[in-house]
Amino acid sequence: MALRNIVKEGDPILERKCRPVEKFDEKLHTLLDDMAETLYDSGGVGLAGPQVGILRRLCVIDVGEGLFEFINPEIVETKGEQERVEGCLSCPDQYGIILRPKYVKTRYFDRFGKEHFVEGEDLFAQAMCHEFDHLDGILFKTKVERMLSQEELEGMNEE
Ligand code: NI
């Protein structure tokens, strides 16, 4: 396993749409292993292909309930709404207030090409929406109600 470099805001690769994964091979498994290692090293909750320079529809998420590897994910149902603070490993030290669905149901494939469905609420639902947006070249900053000010960020750090 190896750490991958995380692409930062301003790199045009983050604004491109990803192609589906077609080969569920050893190369994919290595990429997913590296992405998980990079995610845990970063302290974030999710990491998408374009953030490590790979324009394929895949991401890894762990909101504290174990690692999920999403290949070719597709949201099939959403319910409700939640207002949350959100950030991104590609936009360090920047946070905004964003509206996300409260509940998300996703169809996806695992690293062996087997189809699964998963339901998530709260932070997990938010993380799925955020990471899947990356696969369409969408950064959270384009969807926020507003970004948090420096004063608000300092207030959060003191809590
Ligand atoms: Ni992100």
Side-chain angles (χ1 to χ4, degrees), residues 20-152:
V21 171
E22 285 159 5
K23 288 184 190 161
F24 295 81
D25 57 7
E26 199 60 36
K27 197 177 164 198
L28 174 70
H29 296 181
T30 301
L31 171 62
L32 289 165
D33 290 344
D34 288 354
M35 286 175 69
E37 190 179 354
T38 306
L39 175 67
Y40 291 125
D41 179 71
S42 71
V45 298
L47 185 67
Q51 292 181 281
V52 291
I54 306 291
L55 284 169
R56 291 285 181 174
R57 304 190 74 81
L58 80 177
C59 63
V60 292
I61 292 176
D62 188 343
V63 295
E65 299 168 22
L67 181 71
F68 281 84
E69 297 173 339
F70 290 99
I71 321 279
N72 300 338
E74 186 188 344
I75 291 175
V76 294
E77 189 183 350
T78 64
K79 280 184 208 158
E81 245 179 20
Q82 56 176 337
E83 192 175 64
R84 298 192 69 102
V85 173
E86 192 161 310
C88 177
L89 291 172
S90 293
C91 311
D93 304 319
Q94 301 178 64
Y95 296 88
I97 306 284
I98 195 163
L99 264 186
R100 294 291 194 187
K102 174 87 174 153
Y103 162 97
V104 169
K105 182 177 181 182
T106 297
R107 171 182 182 259
Y108 69 102
F109 295 85
D110 66 22
R111 59 166 62 199
F112 304 105
K114 185 172 185 289
E115 181 188 55
H116 297 272
F117 289 85
V118 68
E119 298 172 294
E121 291 186 38
D122 304 320
L123 178 58
F124 190 27
Q126 176 188 16
M128 285 194 275
C129 293
H130 178 109
E131 299 311 325
F132 303 164
D133 274 350
H134 272 299
L135 309 181
D136 290 320
I138 298 167
L139 285 179
F140 83 103
K141 292 175 77 171
T142 66
K143 286 191 164 182
V144 293
E145 292 178 20
R146 64 179 183 87
M147 295 301 286
L148 294 181
S149 68
Q150 198 55 43
E151 289 73 23
E152 287 173 302

